[in-house]
Amino acid sequence: GDGFGSTPEMFKKNLIWVVTRMQVVVDKYPTWGDVVEVDTWVSQSGKNGMRRDWLVRDCNTGETLTRASSVWVMMNKLTRRLSKIPEEVRGEIEPYFVNSDPVLAEDSRKLTKIDDKTADYVRSGLTPRWSDLDVNQHVNNVKYIGWILESAPVGIMERQKLKSMTLEYRRECGRDSVLQSLTAVTGCDIGNLATAGDVECQHLLRLQDGAEVVRGRTEWSSKTPTTTWGTAP
């Protein structure tokens, strides 16, 4: 109902799904012309959550390319408060749950809080566009990934490839929000990114008043050198 994928009982009780955590691991990037296959399924997560997993594979070889797992909980869309799963709703959704282990082992490392003093890079003045909003005029969770990477150093973006990302969603934001993206680089000398090996970054997306929207961690590895073609004299 209302574009939120609610069951009839969820709709009656003004309940919607919201994502609280997402973890993505890229085992191998596909290349131009590859055909991929995407499998996705839902399982129970604790007493009052749902886990959605994704598995992306090469359609021809079956090789795993990307694995992702996310945790979702219910929220009352009127009060914006989290809710337990009512028994009527549980009866509707449990038949769709798959009894399976997560496609990814949970990265239980605590996501570090960074601030103006500990961040190496800051990008301010980020605002959503109309296309970034869902039907309830709140920013789609995928948009946060782009905002987080806005403050990642160009040296990493140019010379490294993203191999994993963990996100912890803490607050929603709407069309009038103005955000700030902060990144702290660990595991290498930020003054010498050209020779860096694996790199880890801590991220924070926050509102102007300092309220946290998303905490995150990304891991990067060096790109395979490619041939540079010269021009004829």
Side-chain angles (χ1 to χ4, degrees):
D2 290 344
F4 285 106
S6 299
T7 66
E9 286 296 331
M10 287 176 65
F11 184 76
K12 291 178 185 177
K13 301 178 189 307
N14 294 309
L15 296 174
I16 59 175
W17 290 108
V18 292
V19 61
T20 60
R21 188 174 177 89
M22 184 175 292
Q23 186 178 345
V24 182
V25 170
V26 180
D27 297 294
K28 180 182 178 181
Y29 279 91
T31 57
W32 179 260
D34 288 351
V35 179
V36 302
E37 176 181 275
V38 181
D39 294 327
T40 184
W41 61 93
V42 292
S43 306
Q44 184 167 326
S45 177
K47 292 183 178 180
N48 286 293
M50 176 181 75
R51 190 185 78 244
R52 176 171 286 279
D53 288 345
W54 294 269
L55 180 62
V56 183
R57 293 177 290 185
D58 185 293
C59 196
N60 294 318
T61 66
E63 182 180 13
T64 298
L65 302 176
T66 302
R67 296 164 289 151
S69 189
S70 60
V71 176
W72 300 71
V73 295
M74 286 191 178
M75 172 187 284
N76 186 298
K77 68 178 180 181
L78 301 180
T79 65
R80 316 312 291 180
R81 293 181 180 274
L82 298 183
S83 169
K84 293 182 178 180
I85 301 179
E87 288 304 314
E88 298 89 342
V89 174
R90 192 180 300 278
E92 290 178 320
I93 63 176
E94 282 192 343
Y96 298 96
F97 286 169
V98 175
N99 185 19
S100 68
D101 293 329
V103 71
L104 280 174
E106 182 182 357
D107 186 344
S108 59
R109 291 177 295 165
K110 185 177 180 180
L111 292 175
T112 305
K113 180 180 179 179
I114 60 177
D115 53 30
D116 294 298
K117 294 181 179 179
T118 55
D120 299 305
Y121 302 89
V122 178
R123 176 71 183 275
S124 301
L126 301 171
T127 58
R129 295 178 293 185
W130 184 262
S131 59
D132 300 328
L133 306 177
D134 61 24
V135 295
N136 202 37
Q137 302 300 298
H138 289 92
V139 175
N140 184 288
N141 67 80
V142 179
K143 179 62 182 178
Y144 297 135
I145 297 175
W147 279 338
I148 281 173
L149 297 180
E150 283 290 331
S151 61
V154 175
I156 288 180
M157 303 290 282
E158 289 179 338
R159 300 181 179 92
Q160 306 276 323
K161 58 183 178 181
L162 184 62
K163 66 177 184 178
S164 74
M165 172 180 286
T166 302
L167 301 176
E168 190 176 273
Y169 295 88
R170 292 172 166 257
R171 183 185 302 266
E172 57 190 354
C173 60
R175 63 180 183 181
D176 297 324
S177 299
V178 180
L179 298 99
Q180 191 175 48
S181 175
L182 296 82
T183 293
V185 180
T186 58
C188 76
D189 178 7
I190 63 174
N192 194 21
L193 294 175
T195 60
D198 290 354
V199 178
E200 182 177 289
C201 296
Q202 308 296 326
H203 304 275
L204 175 65
L205 193 64
R206 67 185 184 188
L207 298 175
Q208 281 185 314
D209 63 4
E212 295 186 16
V213 177
V214 179
R215 284 191 192 184
R217 176 174 52 247
T218 56
E219 295 178 305
W220 307 73
S221 60
S222 298
K223 291 181 179 179
T224 302
T226 56
T227 301
T228 301
W229 298 97
T231 57

